[in-house]
Amino acid sequence: MMRPKRGQEPPSTFMQIVTDYTYILVGAAFVAIAFNLFLLPNKIASGGVSGISTIVAHMIGIEPAFTQWALNIPLFILGILLLGGLKYGIKTLVGTLFLPLVVFLTRDWSVGFEDALLGALFGGIGVGIGIGLVFRARASTGGTDLAAQIIQKYTGLTLGAAVFIIDGLIVITSAFTFGIELALYALISLFVTGKTVDMVQMGVGYAKVALIISNHQEEVRQSLLRDVDRGVTKLSGYGGYTDEERDVLMCVVNQTEVTKLKQIVKAVDPKAFVVVTNATEVLGEGFKRA
């Protein structure tokens, strides 16, 4: 059996391929429908090719889908020529072509009201869900993502900075076109989109990491293993004040188990020092699989 070379992904199974393309198609549909229902009618140009198409549609009346195709396809070709191949390959091409198609097919859909704040919030959520699903397939919907990669390659800017510059210019243009108030709503939509993408990628059930420093370390460890039924890891540390070596116990638990963990530690050692922090994603036994 051949193994993938270091740095390469293992070959995809048939079901993985089907799952990936389902994510791409459903994700692109979410983005397109959220765009038509909430962003376009409220003149919210929250970055990206969709933001440009919103400005163009309201200024000169060109269908947003046509603008998106007119920008996405040349950017896709330019990405292949300048970036020496495309990171997401055929998957990005599918997203690049399918998203404007759904925008065109759902262009007459409406929620029956127009409200800029609701448009920014629900548009941001819908776009975030869609982009998050596409990202889970290790794909992209093209557009300004490719432009940002090109800027990164030829200017030395980070990818995040390049995306920020492009989206910032689009939002500034919308301020001159639609007014500062709608531009501020566009910023709200961008923020909501980013948070929603994170939730789709990592899930909403944040786990907790507890770091415990105790003079009764073994008793605490045994109590956690027995009563919480979670693994405990010993980390080596040094006291900053005493400069003495001492172990730190690390235990990862679900949100519902945090109170129980604190009660157990307090019962064993009331003077224990405990730090509890969020873990946005935990993979492994007792949690979700990779």
Side-chain angles (χ1 to χ4, degrees):
M1 179 177 177
M2 293 183 62
R3 295 185 178 182
K5 296 180 181 179
R6 183 175 296 179
Q8 291 183 339
E9 292 185 7
S12 298
T13 63
F14 174 75
M15 284 307 301
Q16 183 63 56
I17 293 172
V18 171
T19 300
D20 285 350
Y21 281 97
T22 300
Y23 277 143
I24 293 168
L25 297 179
V26 173
F30 258 99
V31 174
I33 293 170
F35 171 79
N36 273 334
L37 292 183
F38 300 108
L39 300 181
L40 181 63
N42 291 294
K43 302 178 183 178
I44 297 173
S46 56
V49 168
S50 63
I52 297 173
S53 69
T54 299
I55 295 171
V56 172
H58 286 284
M59 287 184 66
I60 55 179
I62 297 178
E63 280 283 348
F66 298 155
T67 301
Q68 292 172 18
W69 272 319
L71 293 174
N72 279 339
I73 294 173
L75 280 171
F76 183 87
I77 296 171
L78 199 62
I80 294 176
L81 296 175
L82 297 181
L83 300 176
L86 195 61
K87 182 179 180 182
Y88 300 117
I90 192 67
K91 293 179 181 179
T92 293
L93 179 60
V94 171
T96 295
L97 297 178
F98 186 70
L99 194 156
L101 175 62
V102 180
V103 169
F104 181 76
L105 294 177
T106 62
R107 63 192 183 279
D108 295 325
W109 289 18
S110 172
V111 290
F113 66 87
E114 293 183 12
D115 182 285
L117 180 57
L118 291 178
L121 293 175
F122 285 96
I125 291 171
V127 171
I129 291 173
I131 292 176
L133 291 174
V134 173
F135 283 177
R136 291 191 69 163
R138 300 174 301 282
S140 166
T141 55
T144 53
D145 289 345
L146 292 176
Q149 291 179 43
I150 294 171
I151 292 174
Q152 178 192 30
K153 179 175 181 178
Y154 289 98
T155 65
L157 291 172
T158 65
L159 186 61
V163 171
F164 178 80
I165 289 171
I166 294 172
D167 286 345
L169 289 174
I170 294 170
V171 171
I172 290 171
T173 302
S174 77
F176 285 103
T177 307
F178 304 131
I180 187 66
E181 183 176 342
L182 289 176
L184 293 175
Y185 283 127
L187 290 176
I188 293 174
S189 183
L190 273 174
F191 177 80
V192 172
T193 295
K195 291 298 181 182
T196 307
V197 169
D198 289 343
M199 290 177 62
V200 173
Q201 288 279 78
M202 299 181 182
V204 296
Y206 290 100
K208 300 288 184 178
V209 178
L211 300 174
I212 305 161
I213 301 173
S214 171
N215 291 325
H216 303 277
Q217 177 189 117
E218 186 58 26
E219 293 94 323
V220 171
R221 185 179 71 86
Q222 291 294 341
S223 296
L224 292 176
L225 290 172
R226 181 181 64 250
D227 298 329
V228 182
D229 194 25
R230 290 292 184 186
V232 180
T233 301
K234 282 187 177 182
L235 306 175
S236 296
Y238 284 86
Y241 180 74
T242 63
D243 201 29
E244 294 179 356
E245 184 175 5
R246 63 189 310 173
D247 290 332
V248 179
L249 299 179
M250 182 182 77
C251 185
V252 181
V253 296
N254 287 323
Q255 285 184 340
T256 56
E257 298 167 326
V258 173
T259 301
K260 187 175 183 180
L261 178 144
K262 291 191 292 185
Q263 289 173 342
I264 289 171
V265 174
K266 185 177 181 180
V268 175
D269 183 6
K271 295 183 178 180
F273 186 78
V274 182
V275 177
V276 180
T277 186
N278 286 328
T280 54
E281 186 170 28
V282 180
L283 308 176
E285 187 175 351
F287 296 91
K288 69 179 182 180
R289 297 188 176 185

